[in-house]
Amino acid sequence: MVTPTDLLGEWELHRHVDDRRAGVDGTVTGTTTLTATGPDEVRWDETGTMTFDGRTVPVSRTLRVRRDDSGRWTVHFADGRVFHDWVWGSEVSHACAPDDYSGVLTGDTEHWTVRWSALGPAKDYVLSSDLRRRSHPAD
């Protein structure tokens, strides 16, 4: 299993956005950086440009991946709310009623993907992210 600490460094980010409800496709291109902020926490920063529905805008987000006392990793939003368990190669879910979110992280330490789908009364989209290593962390 690949852990967040295996992915430290800088990554080239390419994301495809398929909003099936709106009938619009888009892309995000940029950089994802995973940085250890302690032995049990990794900061996940994304910055880039989104092209969607005829507009191009800068985008960014920060997540935190934290390891608990049992050794299990969990992804958190920047404000501390739990996003999902870190489970490599198996589907995870995110509880955010009224829509259902499911995702999967797969790949290896040089190339990995993140795929999320959201389905419900408010949303119907798929986000497919492709990450290729740019650099390893400085020693």
Side-chain angles (χ1 to χ4, degrees):
M1 180 176 99
V2 175
T3 68
T5 55
D6 295 328
L7 301 175
L8 297 178
E10 188 174 275
W11 299 84
E12 184 176 316
L13 169 66
H14 293 277
R15 179 174 294 140
H16 178 249
V17 180
D18 179 9
D19 186 334
R20 297 177 294 213
R21 185 171 306 280
V24 178
D25 283 346
T27 60
V28 174
T29 56
T31 302
T32 297
T33 305
L34 277 72
T35 308
T37 56
D40 297 316
E41 183 174 278
V42 171
R43 181 180 167 122
W44 175 336
D45 291 300
E46 293 181 352
T47 59
T49 303
M50 175 185 260
T51 302
F52 188 75
D53 198 22
R55 296 178 305 235
T56 299
V57 296
V59 293
S60 65
R61 77 171 175 173
T62 297
L63 301 169
R64 303 264 182 190
V65 191
R66 296 185 177 120
R67 181 172 36 199
D68 65 18
D69 292 338
S70 71
R72 191 182 97 219
W73 291 92
T74 305
V75 181
H76 298 257
F77 292 107
D79 65 7
R81 291 177 298 129
V82 172
F83 184 8
H84 62 86
D85 291 336
W86 179 276
V87 180
W88 199 259
S90 297
E91 188 172 291
V92 296
S93 62
H94 169 65
C96 191
D99 302 302
D100 294 319
Y101 295 77
S102 62
V104 64
L105 295 91
T106 60
D108 58 42
T109 60
E110 296 300 315
H111 175 219
W112 53 294
T113 61
V114 180
R115 180 180 163 90
W116 278 99
S117 63
L119 184 60
K123 297 181 179 160
D124 183 3
Y125 66 75
V126 175
L127 304 177
S128 300
S129 302
D130 185 81
L131 298 111
R132 294 188 184 272
R133 187 174 290 283
R134 278 192 182 156
S135 70
H136 291 270
D139 292 329

